Amino acid sequence: MPTPSMEDYLERIYKLIDEKGYARVADIAEGLEVHPSSVTKMIQKLDKDNYLIYEKYRGLVLTPKGKRIGKRLVDRHEVLEKFLSMIGVQSGNIYRDVEGIEHHLSQDSMECIEVFIEWMSRHPERVEELKAFKQQLEPEE
């Protein structure tokens, strides 16, 4: 199993390849706000662990294992963003909060969150009820 740090890299690499068709060290470093030398070290580790194939000066490609995990990580991120938005978390907090929790949830928790999102999407009146209830609980300023 990849570490949380490895997951961050795999997720970023997967997204870059999906969006641009390639992932460069500089783009990965910028997206993760780390030094390029850190990216190179992690890419070498991911290559060693068969998540990607890296050739110095030629670039990298995800292996089937790396693609599968990268897609799962991107999907997980999107589900958590949708969930936090649905329950009324302020949009400015969502990305940071997802980054803080995404590596610490079990598959069981993720499946339950997905079921909750699906149920709420089939019952939009419940989403409105939740928003109204939340407003009732908030102290007046």
Side-chain angles (χ1 to χ4, degrees), residues 86-88 116 120 124-140:
M86 185 176 278
I87 63 171
F116 177 80
M120 292 293 270
E125 70 280 3
R126 296 289 185 217
V127 176
E128 294 308 314
E129 289 174 15
L130 179 61
K131 287 178 185 175
F133 182 72
K134 184 179 181 231
Q135 280 185 320
Q136 290 174 359
L137 295 178
E138 293 174 354
E140 291 187 31

Side-chain angles (χ1 to χ4, degrees), residues 1 4-6 9 13 16 39-40 46 76 78 81-82 84 91-93 99 109 112 115-116 124 127-128 133-134 138:
M1 284 301 294
S5 180
M6 292 167 79
Y9 279 85
I13 291 165
L16 283 166
V39 174
T40 301
L46 292 169
R76 177 179 68 185
E78 290 171 0
E81 282 184 355
K82 187 181 246 185
L84 293 180
S91 61
N93 295 328
E99 287 297 312
S109 292
C112 289
V115 167
F116 177 80
V127 176
E128 294 308 314
F133 182 72
K134 184 179 181 231
E138 293 174 354

Side-chain angles (χ1 to χ4, degrees), residues 58-76:
R58 297 195 52 137
L60 59 92
V61 293
L62 290 170
T63 63
K65 173 182 168 181
K67 284 181 189 176
R68 186 181 73 252
I69 291 173
K71 179 167 180 13
R72 180 179 55 83
L73 296 169
V74 167
D75 291 346
R76 177 179 68 185

Side-chain angles (χ1 to χ4, degrees), residues 6-20:
M6 292 167 79
E7 287 183 345
D8 286 338
Y9 279 85
L10 286 168
E11 180 180 359
R12 185 71 193 135
I13 291 165
Y14 182 89
K15 283 179 82 170
L16 283 166
I17 291 172
D18 188 50
E19 293 166 3
K20 298 170 106 178

